[in-house]
Amino acid sequence: LHRVDRRQRQMCIRDRYCINDNPFSIQTGTPQGGTWSGNGIASGSNIFDPATAGVGIHVVTYTLGTGVCETSDTKIIEVLDLPNITLPNFDEVCLNAGLVELTGASPAGGTWSGTGVSGNDFAPDVAGVGVHTLTYFYTDMNTLCSNSESVDIEVLPLPILSANDTSYCNTPGLVDLPQPNLSGGTWSGVGVVGNQFDPNNAGGVGDFTLTYTYSDNNGCENNTTITASVISPNNVNAGNDFEVCIDEDVIDLSQMATPVGGTWNSNGSAGLNGNSFNPFTAGIG
């Protein structure tokens, strides 16, 4: 008989893993049939969990046999930390703000992803109104460990504007522009003076596009347009003057004037009711 002494030999082979790598079974022990032990290895499992072991250098042991015939060997497993990522805070943006450049991430050289993201730009109009989560992914080329962080950016809606098209006679002087649904904005266009319009100075008869621009409390700006039609005034003829007796029937004035479709007024006379004139009610005069 001869006695086999227990041997222990240190090895310089080192495996490297990132702390967020999945647990794995250690397959390098030979001859097969032994067991692994050490930091990050659950008893009897031969499974090494980088997250359980933690960042640093870990010596794990492979043991085979029992009693005086037990032998063991070790190997080094290094668990690497993830790259530390810091992201900027992005301000709220309006839906029509244009491209937002995604800068300020550290370390530089990573990639952005998320709704509305193309390369290093964020398009609010593509993403749409609401809060959007943008993710920055970075790989450390020295350790090959990757990490990601996320930041939110909110896209604000634009004010909803409406104003009606209108028409004006081609006469000198200022006339009021239509009242939009949201007050406090500004009008612009040919013939516009403040919140009024000068049909004569706009250029005469024709259609003119006028723009109403409004900015809300968030600084989001929108505009709407109307068509202001300048038309020639009608030549109105009220017909011939006439005399009637006080006891005559009510007179229909609707067909006396041209063009038809206008309205009559009597400067306070009691005899007029719509398009009907009552001589008796009006009285002598």
Side-chain angles (χ1 to χ4, degrees), residues 18 21 80 83 139-146:
C18 300
D21 284 341
L80 304 171
T139 298
D140 187 326
M141 300 312 296
N142 293 320
T143 65
L144 299 183
C145 291
S146 300

Side-chain angles (χ1 to χ4, degrees), residues 176-187:
D176 291 336
L177 286 163
Q179 180 63 47
N181 63 315
L182 298 176
S183 60
T186 57
W187 284 97

Side-chain angles (χ1 to χ4, degrees), residues 240-259:
N240 296 326
D241 297 340
F242 60 92
E243 295 178 343
V244 295
C245 296
I246 195 169
D247 59 350
E248 289 192 27
D249 293 335
V250 174
I251 300 170
D252 183 6
L253 303 176
S254 60
Q255 301 300 318
M256 291 187 176
T258 57

